[in-house]
Amino acid sequence: MTQSEYEQLASDLQSLARIVPLNWGGIQNDGTDKQINMFQIHSFKELERQTASLSENSRNYFRRRWFLWKSAQCDEHIFCMNNNVSPNPNFKDQSYDIEFNNNSSLRFDVKGTVIPRSFRTNINAVIEDPTDMIKFFYDEQSKGVRNNHQNRLFIVHHSHRAQEREMYLRCHWAFKIDVYKLYSEKINSYSKFINYQNTISDVVFIFENLDKTITHSFFAVK
């Protein structure tokens, strides 16, 4: 993705955040995915055209998944604005998205997500130790061919004001540029990553507080 492509996509996603459904129309699975080739669609207008004949549940599934996929591409691009971060040169390779410090042990798949509903009763505990949440992500959130086990960097968005504000947080690009720069400066092979199923993972929390301020928190990288 070029810088100009990123700027256009980032702007489009901020507009789309107002209309993309908050909830999935159905669980992620291979059967639903095969209805269209979503990864060949690069505009929301084209997505709407190709899903016009599907059920409303399926359309909402693809609307949200396309938005999240494109948001993740923006996240990856922002990380790669930093000199010590490089993208996977093989776009067909699903083993990782970005690499830090030219170190193959610091390759991560970048996943934008939220705190699962079952973990929201004690958010402070999740921030202090997100291990159980990460296990939940690996075990519960994906089914089928995408359920590959790779190192993951979870970008977790949570608004204390309203759940639907997560879409706004996902597109808060100016804030993310600063946060990802700080994370990239701090990451190293001695960071205390969470180990699970022969992988390492970390979490970048992005919060909107009740007073409307935006803050962040890292776990493994200090």
Side-chain angles (χ1 to χ4, degrees), residues 1 26 104 117 119 144:
M1 182 187 299
S104 61
R117 188 179 303 275
F119 289 84

Side-chain angles (χ1 to χ4, degrees), residues 16 57 201:
L16 291 172
N57 275 352
S201 295

Side-chain angles (χ1 to χ4, degrees), residues 124-136:
N124 288 336
V126 174
I127 298 170
E128 184 174 346
D129 185 359
T131 300
D132 288 341
M133 182 181 69
I134 284 179
K135 291 179 179 179
F136 176 89

Side-chain angles (χ1 to χ4, degrees), residues 7-44:
E7 290 172 359
Q8 182 61 58
L9 179 58
S11 176
D12 289 345
L13 291 171
Q14 286 178 327
S15 297
L16 291 172
R18 303 183 182 96
I19 61 173
V20 171
L22 180 63
N23 299 308
W24 293 104
I27 190 171
Q28 292 183 356
N29 62 80
D30 297 339
T32 302
D33 288 348
K34 290 178 180 177
Q35 293 182 90
I36 65 169
N37 188 349
M38 189 195 74
F39 297 104
Q40 295 297 318
I41 298 174
H42 299 290
S43 73
F44 193 75

Side-chain angles (χ1 to χ4, degrees), residues 9-203:
L9 179 58
S11 176
D12 289 345
L13 291 171
Q14 286 178 327
S15 297
L16 291 172
R18 303 183 182 96
I19 61 173
V20 171
L22 180 63
N23 299 308
W24 293 104
I27 190 171
Q28 292 183 356
N29 62 80
D30 297 339
T32 302
D33 288 348
K34 290 178 180 177
Q35 293 182 90
I36 65 169
N37 188 349
M38 189 195 74
F39 297 104
Q40 295 297 318
I41 298 174
H42 299 290
S43 73
F44 193 75
K45 181 178 179 180
E46 178 63 14
L47 178 70
E48 290 292 275
R49 187 188 70 80
Q50 291 202 28
T51 59
S53 63
L54 303 181
S55 69
E56 193 62 19
N57 275 352
S58 291
R59 296 192 77 189
N60 280 338
Y61 167 84
F62 281 115
R63 286 166 181 150
R64 181 164 172 79
R65 186 156 183 246
W66 187 88
F67 177 87
L68 298 181
W69 169 49
K70 287 300 184 181
S71 295
Q73 287 187 339
C74 286
D75 282 334
E76 294 163 24
H77 180 82
I78 292 172
F79 269 113
C80 292
M81 290 178 180
N82 298 290
N83 292 333
N84 67 321
V85 187
S86 56
N88 187 336
N90 181 0
F91 72 92
K92 294 184 179 179
D93 179 15
Q94 297 184 9
S95 63
Y96 76 99
D97 294 322
I98 60 175
E99 177 181 294
F100 294 92
N101 301 336
N102 292 318
N103 185 341
S104 61
S105 67
L106 295 179
R107 291 176 174 176
F108 293 89
D109 186 44
V110 179
K111 294 287 188 184
T113 188
V114 298
I115 297 175
R117 188 179 303 275
S118 59
F119 289 84
R120 294 176 194 166
T121 56
N122 193 346
I123 291 176
N124 288 336
V126 174
I127 298 170
E128 184 174 346
D129 185 359
T131 300
D132 288 341
M133 182 181 69
I134 284 179
K135 291 179 179 179
F136 176 89
F137 289 150
Y138 275 100
D139 293 341
E140 302 296 335
Q141 283 200 339
S142 296
K143 305 294 181 184
V145 296
R146 288 187 316 283
N147 193 21
N148 299 316
H149 286 170
Q150 67 269 88
N151 298 340
R152 291 181 181 171
L153 177 56
F154 294 98
I155 313 300
V156 178
H157 310 82
H158 182 78
S159 173
H160 293 284
R161 297 177 61 204
Q163 183 184 359
E164 60 268 20
R165 298 283 294 172
E166 73 158 85
M167 310 306 283
Y168 160 75
L169 289 177
R170 288 178 187 271
C171 297
H172 202 318
W173 310 120
F175 182 78
K176 285 185 168 184
I177 286 173
D178 292 337
V179 170
Y180 295 175
K181 181 178 187 295
L182 181 61
Y183 185 93
S184 300
E185 290 172 347
K186 290 178 173 292
I187 192 171
N188 59 68
S189 58
Y190 301 103
S191 298
K192 295 182 179 180
F193 298 108
I194 293 174
N195 293 273
Y196 185 59
Q197 296 184 349
N198 297 316
T199 67
I200 60 172
S201 295
D202 196 11
V203 178

